[in-house]
Each structure stands twice: as C-alpha cells, then as structure tokens.
Amino acid sequence: LWKAAGLLFAGTILLVVIGRGAGFGLAYAGLPAVALVWLRALPWGFELVVWVLAVVIATDIFAYVAGRTIGGRKLAPRISPGKTWAGLAGGVAAALVIGWLVARHFALPGWLGLSGGLMAVLAQTGDLFESWLKRRAGVKDSGSLLPGHGGVMDRVDGLLPVAVATAVMIHAGMGFSL
C-alpha cells in the first residue's frame, strides 16, 4: 500500500511537471483508490468499505428520488441543471439514516454512523465537481465504457471524496481503535 501511495505521489508530481493537468487526473482517480484499499486492509475494513458504499449509494438514490419528486430550486444550474436543493436534502437524510443503520449493524463507532449526512454533502460535491469537469472539457460523458451512464467517473464521482474523507477521519483516530 505504501508503495502504491508513493508511486501515486511520484507519478502525480512527474505529470504535473511535464503534463500539467494529467497529474491532477492521476491524483483525482488514484487517491480515492488508495484510500479504499487502505480502509479495506484495516481490521474492520470490509465493514468500513460497505459503510462508505452504502452512504454514497443512499445519497445518489434518494437525492434523485427527492429531486424528481419534490423539485424546486436548482442547486447549481450552470454546472448540473438537474440537481435541486430538495435532492440534496433527500440525499443527506437518507445517508444519515443508512449510515447510522449500517454502522450500528456492524458495531462501528457512533460518530461514523452520524457522519453519513456530512458524507452525503461530500458525495454531492463530488458529483457537481465531475459535472463541472465535463462542462469545462466540453464533453457530455467522461468515457464510453458504460454507455448511457456518463462514463465510469460519472458513476463513482460521489465515492471519490467520501472514500478519502473516511480514510482521513479513520487515520486521525476519531474514536476508532484498530
């Protein structure tokens, strides 16, 4: 894992020096991957990764449902015209409940369960960031591997910041004895 992190860091620096934005792309995709691998390697790793995935999936599903059902004011119309404040609220509420239930089921620390709402905001921020990157590049999809889904990065855009934030919080010790 340390070798992978070191290679990621070295590759990012090298690409920043010789390829400008390419280094950012490597870090954008690689750092969350390293975070997920690190989380999975911990004694409660499986449970932590399930928690991360559950929170992100709950956010995506319920943000979509609440946004479509309730509608209302747009969250960031120039970046992602379909996202609404109601969708964000629905995603936060669902992530809070699902995060708490999954944490409780796996006997993870209470603070982790209660941080689901914060992670939902990060997931939506990741989604908006990916939309901004696509708009900036003038493309509709971030790839063609998953036709009709906006590309692989569009499927994991919310997962990226949540994986990193969870790893940072766990590494900081936040009441979690490993």
Side-chain angles (χ1 to χ4, degrees):
L1 182 61
W2 286 109
K3 287 178 186 176
L7 284 172
L8 174 65
F9 181 74
T12 299
I13 297 301
L14 178 65
L15 288 173
V16 164
V17 170
I18 64 172
R20 296 185 202 150
F24 169 74
L26 180 61
Y28 178 62
L31 186 59
V34 169
L36 284 170
V37 169
W38 180 77
L39 285 171
R40 180 58 183 98
L42 296 173
W44 290 89
F46 174 79
E47 293 83 354
L48 289 168
V49 171
V50 168
W51 181 86
V52 166
L53 292 172
V55 165
V56 172
I57 291 168
T59 300
D60 283 348
I61 291 171
F62 286 92
Y64 176 79
V65 169
R68 295 290 272 178
T69 304
I70 301 167
R73 289 191 53 211
K74 302 297 182 185
L75 184 62
R78 289 187 177 172
I79 298 172
S80 187
K83 296 204 179 332
T84 64
W85 285 98
L88 175 62
V92 167
L96 190 58
V97 170
I98 297 298
W100 183 79
L101 288 171
V102 170
R104 185 175 166 111
H105 174 75
F106 287 128
L108 296 171
W111 68 264
L112 189 65
L114 294 175
S115 68
L118 170 65
M119 295 303 170
V121 173
L122 288 176
Q124 287 292 292
T125 302
D127 195 329
L128 287 170
F129 183 69
E130 178 70 20
S131 296
W132 176 78
L133 286 175
K134 290 190 305 186
R135 287 202 181 279
R136 187 167 179 238
V139 296
K140 182 182 180 315
D141 296 334
S142 60
S144 59
L145 188 61
L146 299 172
H149 287 273
V152 173
M153 292 307 284
D154 203 41
R155 291 294 92 211
V156 298
D157 51 14
L159 178 63
L160 303 179
V162 174
V164 172
T166 303
V168 166
M169 289 190 318
I170 296 296
H171 182 67
M174 308 251 331
F176 201 91
S177 58
L178 299 174

